[in-house]
Amino acid sequence: MAEKLKVLAALEDSDELLLLSLCKEEKGIFPGIEVEKLTNEQCRSFFRFDKDDIEILRRAMRIPEKVVCSNRTTARGIDGLCMVLRRLAYPSRLEDLEYIFGRSKTELSLIINEVLDYLYDNHCHLLSDFNRNWLSQESLERFAGAVFDRNGPLDSCWGLIDGTVRPICRPQENQRLVFNGHKRSHALKFQSIVTPNGIISNLFGPIEGHRHDAGMLRESDILTQMRVHMTTPEGRIFCI
């Protein structure tokens, strides 16, 4: 009980150093925390979601109540989701999460990858298909209004598009294909469209780092999809 109180105190104060020191003091002993016992503020600080919204998110993403890994390691779905949220919310190593979640880094790796694979296999189409309910005309109107209210030049622009260069280690083969001359590094490139609420609504990639953004736009076929799905019955055309 005393060890759990120390962990909760560290979470409440966002004290990463205290958490790491606890891990070092009790190496190999992982009492872990219970998500249900965290306060709303602790959940927001730790996972960037309100406490009640974490369970809503689990159900919305259809994560099962029990996650089973390839080697039969199991975890509750809510715990697996929290591991992923913490891993993505703050730069941390797996060994830093051992004491927090009461799991070894091997188990953490298996569970996190299992949940990520599940999310990708079941929901990756949401990042590439415009023909979805959440991109309804009402949503486009709301996004376009938000952009225009922030001194946007157009009243029909609902999102912002850009290419992103992600550096990688120099490969042993095909180095020229992934070398980005502008950034002077070997990299992969992605193209994303972000809506005013900060959510990536469309993602294309990866492609070779030497490719130009214009070529990536053409290959993604975004313009064709927009002509089909971004024109209203009244003839109004939404743009990015």
Side-chain angles (χ1 to χ4, degrees):
M1 177 63 70
E3 297 300 330
K4 290 187 177 182
L5 290 176
K6 289 182 181 179
V7 175
L8 291 175
L11 295 180
E12 187 171 2
D13 296 334
S14 300
D15 194 336
E16 300 292 336
L17 292 178
L18 177 55
L19 286 172
L20 292 178
S21 66
L22 290 173
C23 292
K24 292 178 180 178
E25 291 175 2
E26 303 291 342
K27 188 174 182 180
I29 303 176
F30 311 121
I33 60 173
E34 297 181 32
V35 177
E36 291 80 2
K37 294 185 178 180
L38 296 179
T39 66
N40 189 63
E41 289 300 319
Q42 290 169 340
C43 287
R44 292 188 65 179
S45 174
F46 219 53
F47 308 120
R48 297 189 180 179
F49 278 87
D50 288 336
K51 183 176 181 178
D52 294 337
D53 290 343
I54 295 177
E55 177 59 24
I56 294 174
L57 178 63
R58 186 195 68 80
R59 293 197 299 267
M61 304 302 288
R62 299 193 294 275
I63 298 175
E65 293 187 3
K66 183 179 182 180
V67 176
V68 182
C69 303
S70 58
N71 70 339
R72 313 310 297 174
T73 297
T74 62
R76 295 189 308 162
I78 189 70
D79 292 335
L81 176 59
C82 287
M83 293 175 191
V84 170
L85 293 177
R86 178 58 180 174
R87 181 74 162 158
L88 299 179
Y90 184 83
S92 55
R93 299 170 299 175
L94 290 174
E95 62 185 33
D96 299 336
L97 305 180
E98 287 180 324
Y99 200 91
I100 300 172
F101 292 105
R103 298 274 189 164
S104 69
K105 58 185 177 183
T106 301
E107 290 179 305
L108 287 168
S109 177
L110 288 167
I111 296 169
I112 290 172
N113 286 329
E114 184 70 25
V115 175
L116 287 175
D117 287 343
Y118 177 87
L119 293 176
Y120 181 82
D121 292 340
N122 290 274
H123 304 291
C124 65
H125 61 275
L126 295 175
L127 290 175
S128 59
D129 192 350
F130 277 125
N131 190 20
R132 296 292 160 187
N133 291 332
W134 76 272
L135 269 179
S136 61
Q137 182 175 346
E138 181 181 355
S139 298
L140 294 174
E141 293 277 4
R142 186 169 64 254
F143 292 150
V147 174
F148 185 73
D149 290 342
R150 300 292 290 183
N151 299 321
L154 302 172
D155 62 358
S156 59
C157 177
W158 62 271
L160 306 173
I161 184 171
D162 196 13
T164 301
V165 179
R166 305 299 299 174
I168 61 173
C169 296
R170 183 179 63 184
Q172 293 183 348
E173 300 178 359
N174 301 320
Q175 294 183 16
R176 289 181 178 272
L177 288 177
V178 295
F179 184 78
N180 185 278
H182 177 62
K183 298 294 184 179
R184 299 295 181 184
S185 66
H186 297 86
L188 297 175
K189 296 189 71 173
F190 295 84
Q191 173 185 275
S192 61
I193 300 177
V194 180
T195 49
N197 57 4
I199 293 178
I200 295 177
S201 64
N202 185 273
L203 182 68
F204 174 77
I207 66 171
E208 305 91 332
H210 79 283
R211 300 286 295 277
H212 192 275
D213 283 0
M216 186 163 52
L217 175 65
R218 181 174 59 254
E219 188 171 328
S220 67
D221 201 33
I222 289 296
L223 299 180
T224 301
Q225 293 188 53
M226 290 190 60
R227 279 193 289 269
V228 174
H229 300 297
M230 300 297 157
T231 303
T232 68
E234 296 79 18
R236 185 181 181 186
I237 301 176
F238 289 94
C239 63
I240 52 178

